Structures are given as C-alpha cells and as structure tokens.
Amino acid sequence: MTEVVIVDDPTAGAELVAGAVAALVASRPAPVLGLATGGSPRPVYDRLAGLCSTGELSLARCQAFLLDEYVGLSRSHPASYRQVIEREVVVRTDLPAERVLGPDVWVAESDLPAACRRYEERICEAGGVDLQLLGVGTDGHIGFNEPGSSLGSRTRLKTLTARTRADNARFFDGDAGAVPLHVVTQGIGTILEARHLVLLAWGEAKADVIGRLVEGPVTASVPASAVQLHPHVTVVVDSPAASKLQRAEYYRETWAAKPDWQGI
Ligand code: F6R
C-alpha cells in the first residue's frame, strides 16, 4: 500500500521527513538524497537547515541529485533549480556544494541526449538515490514528467504544459511566458529506482491530484500515480491536501497504530 501520512501542517510534515533524513544519515556512510524544488519541499529544507545549525544533523557525508532543471536559463539565473537548491539547502547546511549534481543543461542542444545519459550514469555510480523528495504538479506531473509521459522513461528533454508554466509563473514575477518551455527531468523509470520515495503536498489546490495519484488507477495520464508501483513510498500531506481521499480515516488509523521504530 502507498503509505499516506496526514499531518497537522507542513511544519509537522517537515519534521517527520527531516527525521527520516536523519535516520538515513545515521544508517549509511554515504547517503544519497534526491532533491526536488518548488514550494512543497521548502519546509523540509527549513527543518534540515535548523537541525544542521544546532549541530543535531550533518549532511557532510551526503551526495545529492536534482530531479530536474529548466533549459534555457543561465546557470546563475535565480530560478534555475541549481540556484534554488544552492540557496535553500547548500548555503544553509553543510551539504558539500560539489556533491550536488543536476542535469547538465548548459551544453549545446545537440549534446543534451548525451548529457542526460551521463546524468543517469552519475546516479548509478553513486549507488542510486536512497531518499527521493517529490512534489506533485496540479496536472499530476512528478519531476517534470507531464501527463502522457512513459512510466518507464529515463532522464530526457520534456516540454512543459501550459498549466505547469502558469503554476510556476510565481517564480518568474507572475509571468508564465518567462517560464521556460523546455526542461530536462529524471524519467519516471529513473525516479522509481530510488529506494524510498517521499511525496509532499500541502493545501487544497493539491487535493484533487492527491486523490487521483493515491487512489486512482496507475496511468500515464497522472504520472505521479506511478508511485503506486514502488515498494516504499510515503505520501505526506496536510488535511486540505488529503480532503479528497476516500480512505483518509483508514490512513489516519494506520499511522496512529504504526510502531514508532518503523519510521516512514
Ligand atoms: C520540482 C519538480 C516539480 C514540482 C511540482 C510541484 O523539482 O520536479 O515536479 O515538485 O511542480 O511544485 P510545487 O511544490 O511548487 O507545488
């Protein structure tokens, strides 16, 4: 079953997920984190930063891989995912900047397919991702695998839907036209190879997609529904985001009855 944890608010969710990161760090010599961008993981990054600042956690032994990157922005553009992770994670924790890798989109266009293949190789060389943070788009995308993406896809170039560009306009001064049309994203097949998937969603705007991805059929029309195929997936949501789940009461009961030592 896809584990669903309904938390009081994003801060409580962040504490839970940061606890899972801390447990991972304690259990592996070279933990590999998969980092998403956007609004959903921010509370987790805030919590990780807090734990690092008090010395309760160190990410110094970690390596990290980004889920995706816009194509067409300069490396230093504040909305490029490399810069977002630099600001939100790297400068606020002790995660070594040189051990954070993202798809190399700053090559000649014709070299992008080779750069995508190299990115997959780098993930493999690191031993694969231990814990992958994910958000979900209102159209059902994970990473930037838009509806219709192959469930077996690998890292590649994708075109964003108009809806995703409108959703992400908030990171571009409200101008959807300034949101790049193209991205390089880990494929759904790539994402499913991470050992633990943690998908985060807050607020009522995500209620519909959370209902479809957790309780609807597995379908390329809702790429995030592919997480149902994964043996270890945790969906962490607040009550508004959980409001369209048919089995919400059961998820609450299951979580309340879960032994603490199991974690997520
Ligand atoms: C970001 C990413 C996207 C976002 C999704 C939700 O790296 O891959 O799938 O997770 O667009 O974005 P937010 O969290 O801003 O609602």
Side-chain angles (χ1 to χ4, degrees):
M1 176 181 110
T2 302
E3 177 170 51
V4 180
V5 185
I6 303 169
V7 292
D8 288 343
D9 53 33
T11 308
E15 186 158 346
L16 186 69
V17 176
V21 172
L24 172 71
V25 168
S27 70
R28 287 181 75 93
V32 182
L33 302 173
L35 302 179
T37 45
S40 309
R42 268 195 201 158
V44 175
Y45 298 151
D46 290 345
R47 181 71 186 144
L48 292 176
L51 291 172
C52 286
S53 73
T54 55
E56 290 164 89
L57 176 69
S58 169
L59 300 180
R61 285 185 285 107
C62 292
Q63 183 164 355
F65 288 93
L66 308 194
L67 254 186
D68 39 24
E69 184 57 271
Y70 288 117
V71 175
L73 299 182
S74 70
R75 228 182 247 275
S76 58
H77 192 289
S80 83
Y81 284 171
R82 177 73 222 192
Q83 288 300 322
V84 170
I85 291 298
E86 186 79 21
R87 273 196 313 275
E88 293 184 2
V89 183
V90 174
V91 300
R92 301 197 297 157
T93 66
D94 57 354
L95 179 65
E98 70 281 5
R99 294 174 71 179
V100 180
L101 293 182
D104 184 4
V105 297
W106 295 282
V107 295
E109 249 175 50
S110 58
D111 290 336
L112 276 174
C116 292
R117 283 195 297 276
R118 265 201 312 281
Y119 192 54
E120 294 261 343
E121 284 162 15
R122 300 299 291 270
I123 296 173
C124 281
E125 284 158 17
V129 171
D130 289 309
L131 189 155
Q132 176 66 58
L133 293 173
L134 296 168
V136 58
T138 56
D139 67 359
H141 67 238
I142 43 169
F144 273 135
N145 296 282
E146 295 286 28
S149 293
S150 155
L151 300 184
S153 50
R154 313 300 308 185
T155 301
R156 70 218 181 289
L157 184 75
K158 287 291 289 181
T159 304
L160 295 180
T161 60
R163 180 157 169 191
T164 299
R165 294 176 79 214
D167 283 349
N168 285 8
R170 67 194 195 281
F171 300 115
F172 292 83
D173 297 325
D175 178 7
V179 180
L181 192 55
H182 291 124
V183 292
V184 166
T185 180
Q186 286 189 30
I188 298 174
T190 319
I191 293 168
L192 290 179
E193 282 171 7
R195 283 179 277 280
H196 183 192
L197 302 180
V198 178
L199 188 148
L200 309 159
W202 323 119
E204 211 183 334
K206 296 287 172 78
D208 189 57
V209 74
I210 287 294
R212 288 188 296 145
L213 88 88
V214 173
E215 295 177 343
V218 174
T219 166
S221 297
V222 183
S225 64
V227 303
Q228 292 179 36
L229 298 169
H230 197 280
H232 188 185
V233 53
T234 312
V235 175
V236 183
V237 286
D238 59 7
S239 295
S243 59
K244 295 203 174 151
L245 288 169
Q246 306 288 319
R247 292 191 290 268
E249 264 330 291
Y250 176 59
Y251 305 136
R252 287 193 168 95
E253 282 165 23
T254 311
W255 178 247
K258 191 174 185 183
D260 277 351
W261 59 264
Q262 278 191 319
I264 56 171

